[in-house]
Amino acid sequence: QVQLVESGGGSVEAGGSLRLSCAASGRYTIQNYCMAWFRQVPGKEREGVAIIDADWSDVASSVKGRFSVSRNNAKNIVYLQMNSLKHEDTAMYYCGAHYGDCSENDIKSRRFFPAWGQGTQVTVS
């Protein structure tokens, strides 16, 4: 199973930017996987933010125009660039992965992703 490690979280003022990274390790290459960013606040369901595979990407409507997702296959890293951050973006951000291409429904539920990292906290004040 692919192993995932998130980094890049922190505290930022509203309107600021952060870039999260998700590094995949093991003998797996992310170009064969659908990679995802989800976020979760205590007491709520994990919410899909962005997904990306070798040919396609998508972001949730709540972050469209502010967040973008990209990948560096050579480094086996997926990024989430977050701009114009709002207080409501405060959450623990998780990276997920499943083998194969993404589908449109993947962003709707964490259950499509069997592999997860431990998360990185983003706090917007």
Side-chain angles (χ1 to χ4, degrees), residues 30-34 52-57 71 73 100-102:
I30 62 170
Q31 64 186 90
N32 297 324
Y33 283 76
C34 174
I52 185 169
D53 64 20
D55 302 306
W56 177 74
S57 65
R71 59 200 291 157
N73 290 332
D101 295 335
C102 295

Side-chain angles (χ1 to χ4, degrees), residues 37-52:
W37 286 100
F38 277 64
R39 65 186 181 186
Q40 190 169 21
V41 296
K44 291 191 175 182
E45 290 291 321
R46 195 169 292 190
E47 171 194 24
V49 176
I51 54 175
I52 185 169

